[in-house]
Amino acid sequence: MNRVTNRAWIMLVFILILVGGTVFFMGEYAMYSDQWVVFPNSPHVYNKTNLGCGIVTDRFGTVLLDTLEDRVYADDSLVRQSTLHWLGDRKGNIQADAISRYAKEMVGFDMINGIYSYGGTGGTAVLTLSSEVQAAALEAMAGRKGTVAVYNYKTGEILCAVTTPTFDPDNVPEMTGEAFEGVYLNRFVQSTYPPGSIFKIVTTAVALNCVPDILDRTFTCTGRYQFTGGRVTCERAHGTLDLQGAMAKSCNCCFAQIAQLIGRRNMLDYVETFQITDSITFDGVTTAKGNYDVSDSSKAELAWSCIGQHTDLINPARYMTFMGAIAGGGVGAEPYLVSSVTAGDTVTYRAKTVMTDRLMSKETADTLRDYMRNNVMAVYGANHFPGLTVCAKSGTSELGGGQTPNAMFTGFVADEAYPLAFIVVVENGGYGSATCVPILSKVLASCKTVMDRQ
């Protein structure tokens, strides 16, 4: 009898373990099954390390990538090249993190049916990009390295974000030599650059906040401004200028004097407030962080930092967002790339506009807008941007070592119908406005055409 009783207890223990294990598994399944199905390298979801199921289109429905049978890219070579850094290549050397972020939504999963869209039509992700603008930007870059990006500072939609160098995934070249250096890098989100004179927008904003009589002051440029142990130079003497004139002429010597009025502590505090060196995250992509450090700098180094040199670094995506905040009166939309995802007839994801923190007062933002508009009217030429009220600042960022400087250009369009902020970076491109304005002119014209069609 005891033997039977013991066996019964043992059986009961096994049954309890089985039931407990089943309950535990069902609980885990209920909570985590949607994550299990999109585990890294799942053959049902991924091709190499990139999404391998469904279709990706631009904002107007142009197919950019179809993975239902194989990775089939867009029909147009320029579109294929210009969107490669967002879609990924066949070998997985270029990571398409923004799309892979929505793997669960793309495959269409529920606990009853499992991956119910796999093997059928698959999911469809709609990007905010315009294939037309992407192609125009790539063509305008004409083989030079860098990035061109434009986004809607009211909604956050990225209309254009092109990285060069790139390649055609349907006609992969032998990628050797300097022309393909950094080809796998998405420069818009992964790179940082010395900003050069586009950083004078930041310094001007700080001066407007910290120097009470800054609008009444003038500054004299003789071609150089001397400090103990260092000096700041300009290519020529600019004479006497006020703050607006100093920005329009991009006068280093005037900004060296402005830097002394602002001081080290104020620059550090406001760079942090403006979030210029912070990373920004959208669609699962986190950008590189910038750099601004004058904690132990000399007076000359502080001055150069306020001119956008010294050890300054900015990320293009973050700085473009800063331009959006200025355009929006101190607050702008954070950027995003994926507009919506559908699996079958079900909308599994739809983007929402998220605004930045208030980075500055409306009064400061409006003054910067006026100054940047004056730059275009007085220096760069409004005729380059017909039908658009462009506000901008150029930059020529010195690299040292005998290298040709990077050309930089950033700003926004101050029109209700075309709320666009932009940044152009051409590595080793020379003078900012001379190199970047022709590129931006073509890109903004394409953006205007696209937005007029909507």
Side-chain angles (χ1 to χ4, degrees), residues 152-276:
N152 184 318
Y153 57 79
K154 289 187 176 180
T155 65
E157 300 165 282
I158 300 173
L159 274 75
C160 171
V162 168
T163 285
T164 54
T166 184
F167 61 90
D168 187 340
D170 285 348
N171 187 21
V172 181
E174 177 120 8
M175 288 180 289
T176 58
E178 187 179 343
F180 289 99
E181 183 181 347
V183 69
Y184 299 132
L185 191 70
N186 186 330
R187 283 164 157 80
F188 176 61
V189 294
Q190 295 176 300
S191 291
T192 57
Y193 295 97
S197 290
I198 65 172
F199 198 81
K200 288 170 182 171
I201 300 169
V202 178
T203 305
T204 301
V206 180
L208 289 168
N209 280 280
C210 295
V211 185
D213 61 344
I214 190 65
L215 297 180
D216 300 321
R217 286 179 176 264
T218 57
F219 309 92
T220 300
C221 169
T222 61
R224 68 179 185 177
Y225 191 80
Q226 191 68 43
F227 295 94
T228 302
R231 66 181 180 181
V232 169
T233 59
C234 286
E235 288 190 339
R236 63 183 180 84
H238 292 109
T240 300
L241 301 169
D242 60 8
L243 182 61
Q244 184 182 49
M247 182 185 272
K249 298 292 185 182
S250 201
C251 177
N252 292 345
C253 294
C254 288
F255 272 89
Q257 297 166 64
I258 293 166
Q260 304 314 300
L261 296 174
I262 292 170
R264 179 184 292 105
R265 187 69 262 163
N266 282 328
M267 282 301 299
L268 288 168
D269 288 347
Y270 275 97
V271 165
E272 182 177 354
T273 298
F274 296 157
Q275 302 177 5
I276 296 160

Side-chain angles (χ1 to χ4, degrees), residues 51-71:
L51 192 69
C53 62
I55 294 171
V56 181
T57 76
D58 81 342
R59 65 192 296 117
F60 294 116
T62 299
V63 175
L64 304 177
L65 177 65
D66 184 338
T67 66
L68 297 185
E69 295 183 6
D70 192 5
R71 290 183 75 82

Side-chain angles (χ1 to χ4, degrees), residues 292-359:
Y292 185 81
D293 185 7
V294 291
S295 52
D296 297 316
S297 64
S298 66
K299 288 185 176 181
E301 289 170 337
L302 173 64
W304 279 116
S305 78
C306 292
I307 295 164
Q309 296 292 162
H310 188 42
T311 61
D312 299 6
L313 293 171
I314 57 104
N315 167 259
R318 167 52 80 181
Y319 209 75
M320 181 189 72
T321 307
F322 178 59
M323 292 299 104
I326 296 173
V331 179
E334 296 187 355
Y336 65 88
L337 182 76
V338 180
S339 178
S340 66
V341 180
T342 58
D345 296 327
T346 304
V347 177
T348 54
Y349 172 78
R350 192 176 299 280
K352 296 179 181 178
T353 296
V354 177
M355 305 306 289
T356 67
D357 299 331
R358 173 160 288 282
L359 303 185

Side-chain angles (χ1 to χ4, degrees), residues 26 29-30 33-34 108-117:
M26 293 303 294
Y29 181 78
S33 58
D34 59 341
F109 172 81
D110 65 43
M111 290 187 291
I112 305 300
N113 299 305
I115 305 176
Y116 57 82
S117 71

Side-chain angles (χ1 to χ4, degrees), residues 98 123 279 381 392 447:
S279 61
C447 287

